Amino acid sequence: HIQALISKKRYLSWSNWLILAFLSVLPFQPQEVQVNSIIIIALSLLSLLSLTAQDFIGFGIRSKFLWMPLMWIALALSLLWSEDVDRGLNSIFKSLPLILLPFVFSLQGKNRSKIEVWKMVFVASCLLASVIGLSSGLIKFAETGLSYHFSYQYVCPFLPPAYTSLYIALALAILIDQLRQNTSSSWWVHLSIWFFMIHLAVIFSRSGIVLLLLLIGWNLMVLLRNKLKRQLTLFLVLMGLGIAGLMTNTKVQDRISGVVKIAQGQYEYEGTSSSLGARMWIWNAARELVLDRPWLGYGAGGEKNALLLKFEEKELSFGVERGYNAHNQFMQYALAIGVLGLFYFLFLFWRSIRLSLNRKNVFGVMSMLFIALAFFTESMLERQAGIFLFAFFYSLIELQNSFAKTQEV
C-alpha cells in the first residue's frame, strides 16, 4: 500500500524538491543546523518506502554510481576497530549523502533539464550568500574604517572562508562552463562571474586564491576563444583594479607576510604567525599518527581522539582547546580508514577526472580539481556542508559523463 502511495515517479519528484531545498540552504549554514538531518532522514525514508528491491539491485548494478557509496561502507566498517563508536556513528550519519545522492542521481535517466535547474539553484543561493557576505563586510568597514574588516571571515558570515571559497569556485565553474558552451550568454552571466571573483579575491583564503587564479585563466581562455572583446576588456580592467585594491588591505598584507614566514621555515603558531603555521604543526602530528597505524587507521570517530591525544603529547594547546581535526581531508581519511582507504578516496578523484577528460567534460575536470585543492587545507567532509557538496558534484559529474561517450558536454 505504501509503495502504491509513493510511486517511483512521486519519489523522483519529492526527492527533487528535497535536493532543491538542500541546495537553497547549503551556503547559509553557520553551524550544523537541524534542516540537514531532517532532509537526510526524509530522503532515506523515501528511498526505503517507495522503491522496490529491483530498484536497489539496479542501483548496485549501475557501477558508475556505486563508487562513492563504497566509500561510506568503508567508513561504516571502520567502526569495528574505532575506540569512539558514538562519535563514529555520528560521522557515519552525517555522511549518508554519500549513499543517498548517488542513488537519487542513478534514477534520473537522461533528464538534463532537471540537472541544469539544480545547478542554477546552487548558483543563485551562492550569489545571495555572496551579496550578504560582501554587504556585511562593507558595513563593518564603514563603521570602523579598518580595511581588514573587508576581508576573510568578515565577508563570510555563514561558512568558514575555505568553505565559502570552494562554494564560490564551483558556482563560477558552472557559469564559466555555460559561457564556454553558449557564446551568446546574457550579461547577467558575465556580471555574476565578475561579482563572484571579487568576493573570492576579497576573502583571500589561501586555497581560494589558488582557485581564483585557475578560474581567471579559464575565463580568459573562454573569452579569447569566443572573441568576446568587450567582455574581455572589462574583465582585464576589473582585474587590474582589484589587484591594486587588494594590495592596500592590511589583512591581505598580513596573510602574504605569513606565507613568506612559512616559506622561511617559521612554523610558530603564537604571535603574528599565520594559520598556515598551525596547519604545519597539525599535519606533522597527523603524519606521525598515520605512520603508527598505516593500514586500517583508527576507525571513524577514533581518529579524532587519537589526534587530540597527539596534540596533548606535543603540547599543541591550540589544537586541544579548539578540538582541531587534521585540516586535510586526505590525511583525515588516512587516519580514519588507513592508507588503503586513502588510496580508494584518491581513486574516486582519478576516475572522475579521467572519465571527464575522455568525455571532453571540462566542467567535470575543473570541478574535481577545485574540490581536491580545497581538501588539501581543510577536512571538509567533517561537516555536512562539505559532505553534501562533494556528493552532489561527484554524482552530477558522473551523470553528465554518462550522457555522451564522445561528444562534448
Side-chain angles (χ1 to χ4, degrees):
H1 175 71
I2 291 175
Q3 284 188 343
L5 180 66
I6 310 175
S7 64
K8 184 173 180 178
K9 186 176 181 180
R10 267 186 198 169
Y11 166 78
L12 290 173
S13 175
W14 291 354
S15 63
N16 177 51
W17 283 109
L18 284 170
I19 290 174
L20 286 174
F22 219 155
L23 288 171
S24 299
V25 302
L26 204 57
F28 301 95
Q29 300 181 57
Q31 299 295 332
E32 298 292 351
V33 294
Q34 293 302 313
V35 68
N36 290 358
S37 300
I38 293 171
I39 293 177
I40 288 174
I41 292 170
L43 273 173
S44 302
L45 290 175
L46 274 175
S47 301
L48 291 171
L49 294 176
S50 64
L51 302 178
T52 64
Q54 185 178 0
D55 292 313
F56 287 99
I57 293 171
F59 171 59
I61 294 172
R62 297 182 186 98
S63 59
K64 63 178 176 291
F65 291 103
L66 191 60
W67 298 107
M68 186 177 291
L70 288 175
M71 190 75 210
W72 184 89
I73 292 171
L75 286 168
L77 288 175
S78 72
L79 289 173
L80 295 173
W81 58 87
S82 173
E83 296 179 0
D84 193 339
V85 174
D86 290 339
R87 182 177 281 183
L89 285 171
N90 181 53
S91 297
I92 296 302
F93 173 75
K94 285 196 301 185
S95 301
L96 271 176
L98 297 180
I99 284 185
L100 295 174
L101 285 182
F103 181 68
V104 173
F105 271 79
S106 73
L107 299 172
Q108 297 303 318
K110 302 294 183 181
N111 193 342
R112 294 176 185 238
S113 60
K114 185 182 292 186
I115 304 304
E116 292 305 312
V117 170
W118 287 350
K119 288 161 69 175
M120 286 301 106
V121 168
F122 176 77
V123 170
S125 60
C126 287
L127 188 59
L128 180 58
S130 284
V131 169
I132 296 172
L134 284 174
S135 299
S136 64
L138 279 172
I139 292 170
K140 190 73 174 176
F141 171 59
E143 290 174 348
T144 63
L146 301 173
S147 62
Y148 69 82
H149 279 150
F150 190 56
S151 182
Y152 205 52
Q153 72 267 27
Y154 297 102
V155 291
C156 302
F158 302 110
L159 290 168
Y163 285 77
T164 305
S165 297
L166 179 58
Y167 273 62
I168 292 173
L170 291 172
L172 274 166
I174 292 171
L175 292 173
I176 295 174
D177 189 61
Q178 181 177 331
L179 181 63
R180 180 182 65 86
Q181 297 184 66
N182 183 10
T183 57
S184 60
S185 295
S186 59
W187 271 96
W188 80 265
V189 175
H190 295 280
L191 290 173
S192 299
I193 289 172
W194 299 337
F195 185 83
F196 275 134
M197 285 190 176
I198 290 170
H199 192 190
L200 198 54
V202 168
I203 295 171
F204 210 79
S205 69
R206 294 181 185 88
S207 61
I209 289 301
V210 176
L211 296 175
L212 179 59
L213 292 174
L214 290 172
L215 285 159
I216 287 173
W218 186 17
N219 193 47
L220 284 172
M221 284 191 293
V222 170
L223 292 174
L224 286 169
R225 192 191 73 169
N226 294 344
K227 299 179 180 179
L228 300 173
K229 295 181 181 178
R230 285 185 302 170
Q231 292 88 335
L232 178 61
T233 302
L234 278 171
F235 181 70
L236 291 172
V237 170
L238 283 172
M239 195 166 61
L241 292 173
I243 293 171
L246 278 176
M247 291 302 101
T248 64
N249 190 302
T250 55
K251 183 69 174 180
V252 171
Q253 293 170 358
D254 289 343
R255 292 181 68 76
I256 291 174
S257 65
V259 173
V260 173
K261 288 181 180 180
I262 296 302
Q264 294 172 347
Q266 300 175 27
Y267 298 161
E268 292 81 2
Y269 177 74
E270 305 295 339
T272 59
S273 62
S274 67
S275 60
L276 185 57
R279 280 177 169 80
M280 299 297 291
W281 287 108
I282 291 169
W283 294 338
N284 284 332
R287 179 180 56 82
E288 291 179 13
L289 287 172
V290 171
L291 292 176
D292 288 342
R293 295 179 64 172
W295 300 113
L296 297 178
Y298 298 83
E303 89 282 10
K304 298 177 179 66
N305 287 343
L307 201 54
L308 289 175
L309 290 173
K310 179 60 74 171
F311 290 157
E312 290 180 358
E313 177 188 320
K314 287 183 165 292
E315 299 182 353
L316 301 177
S317 58
F318 64 89
V320 177
E321 292 167 3
R322 302 183 185 184
Y324 277 155
N325 53 41
H327 274 69
N328 180 306
Q329 189 57 56
F330 302 105
M331 202 166 284
Q332 191 79 33
Y333 270 163
L335 288 169
I337 49 180
V339 174
L340 295 176
L342 172 62
F343 285 157
Y344 183 76
F345 189 50
L346 292 171
F347 165 77
L348 291 180
F349 282 91
W350 173 81
R351 179 183 178 277
S352 182
I353 292 172
R354 181 179 63 84
L355 284 176
S356 296
L357 286 170
N358 289 342
R359 307 295 192 266
K360 298 181 180 179
N361 183 358
V362 181
F363 168 76
V365 174
M366 298 302 288
S367 296
M368 293 310 297
L369 284 176
F370 293 165
I371 293 172
L373 284 169
F375 281 5
F376 273 108
T377 57
E378 292 290 338
S379 296
M380 289 196 168
L381 301 188
E382 295 299 294
R383 288 172 177 248
Q384 284 179 351
I387 293 166
F388 189 90
L389 190 75
F390 177 58
F392 176 80
F393 274 89
Y394 193 92
S395 303
L396 174 71
I397 293 164
E398 285 285 347
L399 188 59
Q400 283 189 326
N401 287 336
S402 71
F403 285 156
K405 291 186 177 181
T406 54
Q407 72 180 47
E408 190 173 6
V409 293

